[in-house]
Amino acid sequence: MAEDNVRGLVLAVGSSLFIGTSFILKKKGLRKAAVNGTSAGYGGYTYLLEPLWWAGMVTMFIGEAANFVAYAFAPAVLVTPLGALSIIVSAVLANFVLKERLSKLGILGCLSCIVGSVVIVLHAPQEESPTSVQQIWDLATQPAFMIFAAAALSIVAVLILYLEPLFGQSNVLVYLGICSLMGSLTVVSIKAIGIAIKLTLEDINQLTFPQTWFFITVGAIGVIMQLNYLNKALDTFNAAIVSPIYYVMFTTLTITASAIMFKDWSGQDASSVASEICGFITVISGTIILHSTREQEQASTSTIAGPVDRYTSGEDLKSEDGEHLITLHNTDYFE
C-alpha cells in the first residue's frame, strides 16, 4: 500500500473512533441537560451549558477534521467505507455506557446497513478532482445538479415545516432526513473549500473569487443545521439506531450528489451498476429493520407504562383527555 494511502487509512480509522465516541458523549450531555431544563427534542438549548455535550462536540470536530484530511491522502473508495466503524464504536459504547440494548433484529439491521453501504461505495465510480473553485462552480450550476439541489432543499423544507411537528418525535427518519440531505450539499461545499485552501497555500489565491465565499456560507449553514437536527435525533431516539441510519442516509445521498455533479456514472459497466443497486436495496432493508426495532421499543414502553398508570391518583390526570402526567419514555431504567 502506498504511503499516502496508509496515512489516509490511519486518519480514517482514527476519525471513526472519535466520531463514534462523540455520539455517546453528546447523548450523555443531552440526557443531563434534559434533567435541568427542556430537552433538545422539544426545542430546548440547555445542552449548550453541559460540559459533556461540548466534549462530544470537540471529539466530533477532531474526527471530522481527521476525515477531511484523510481525503487529501487517500481516495474516497478507501476512506468512505471506514466511516461504518463509527457505527460499531457508538453501538458498543452505547451498550456499556448508556445501557442501550440492540436486539438481535437490530444487530441484523446494523450489519445490513454496513454491508450495503460498503458495497455501494466500493462500486462507486472514481471522481476527477477539480483544479479550481471556478471549475466546481461550473459543475454545481449544471442543470442536473441544480435539479438535485432544488429537490433536496424542497424536501428539507417539507420535513421542517410540515412533517417535523407531526412525526419528529416518533419517526427517526424526519430528523436524519434533514441532516442527510443538507449533508450531501454540505460535502460539495466542503470539497470546494478544501480545494480553495489547498490552491491558496500553493500561491494560487482562490479567496478573491466570490464562489469561494458562497461555498463557505453554504457549508456553514449546512453544518449548523446538521448539528441542530442531529442533537434532536440523539435526544429523542436510541443512539445505537441513530448512528447506522444516519450513516446509511448520508452515504447514499452523498454518493448520489457526487455522481450527479461530477458525472461519475458515465462510463460505468453493467456489473458496477448492478452491484450499486444491490447495495442500495441492502441498505434500504437494513434501514427498515432498524426502524422496526424502534417501533418495538416504543410498544414495549407502552406495555410497561400501563401498570404504572393505575397507581396515579385522579389529581394526576388531565380532566379533558385523561393524558397521564407521568410518562415513561425509555425502558432503559428497568434494565
Side-chain angles (χ1 to χ4, degrees), residues 149-172:
L153 293 175
S154 298
I155 295 173
V156 167
V158 171
L159 288 172
I160 294 176
L161 298 177
Y162 297 101
L163 297 183
E164 182 187 355
L166 298 175
F167 306 108
Q169 295 296 313
S170 61
N171 194 322
V172 69

Side-chain angles (χ1 to χ4, degrees), residues 3-187:
E3 184 178 351
D4 281 350
N5 280 3
V6 172
R7 292 176 180 174
L9 176 62
V10 172
L11 286 167
V13 172
S15 169
S16 295
L17 291 174
F18 277 104
I19 292 175
T21 303
S22 74
F23 272 101
I24 307 304
L25 291 174
K26 290 200 295 182
K27 179 83 178 205
K28 284 186 69 69
L30 289 168
R31 283 186 176 182
K32 290 186 65 176
V35 174
N36 301 319
T38 305
S39 66
Y42 288 89
Y45 292 94
T46 54
Y47 61 85
L48 293 175
L49 302 176
E50 179 54 51
L52 267 178
W53 184 85
W54 282 108
M57 283 298 301
V58 172
T59 305
M60 174 169 279
F61 176 80
I62 294 173
E64 294 293 353
N67 191 62
F68 178 80
V69 177
Y71 280 102
F73 290 101
V77 71
L78 174 63
V79 176
T80 307
L82 294 177
L85 293 176
S86 65
I87 299 173
I88 300 173
V89 172
S90 61
V92 171
L93 290 179
N95 180 73
F96 292 103
V97 178
L98 301 179
K99 306 302 180 183
E100 295 180 351
R101 303 290 192 266
L102 263 181
S103 64
K104 293 181 179 179
L105 191 62
I107 294 174
L108 176 62
C110 259
L111 292 175
S112 298
C113 290
I114 294 172
V115 171
S117 297
V118 169
V119 170
I120 291 176
V121 173
L122 289 179
H123 291 275
Q126 296 289 333
E127 64 180 22
E128 297 182 4
S129 180
T131 57
S132 69
V133 173
Q134 288 178 307
Q135 184 179 352
I136 296 181
W137 180 259
D138 291 338
L139 294 172
T141 53
Q142 60 184 326
F145 187 76
M146 291 291 287
I147 292 173
F148 173 84
L153 293 175
S154 298
I155 295 173
V156 167
V158 171
L159 288 172
I160 294 176
L161 298 177
Y162 297 101
L163 297 183
E164 182 187 355
L166 298 175
F167 306 108
Q169 295 296 313
S170 61
N171 194 322
V172 69
L173 297 180
V174 175
Y175 291 143
L176 296 187
I178 297 171
C179 290
S180 302
L181 285 166
M182 291 304 301
S184 65
L185 299 178
T186 303
V187 166

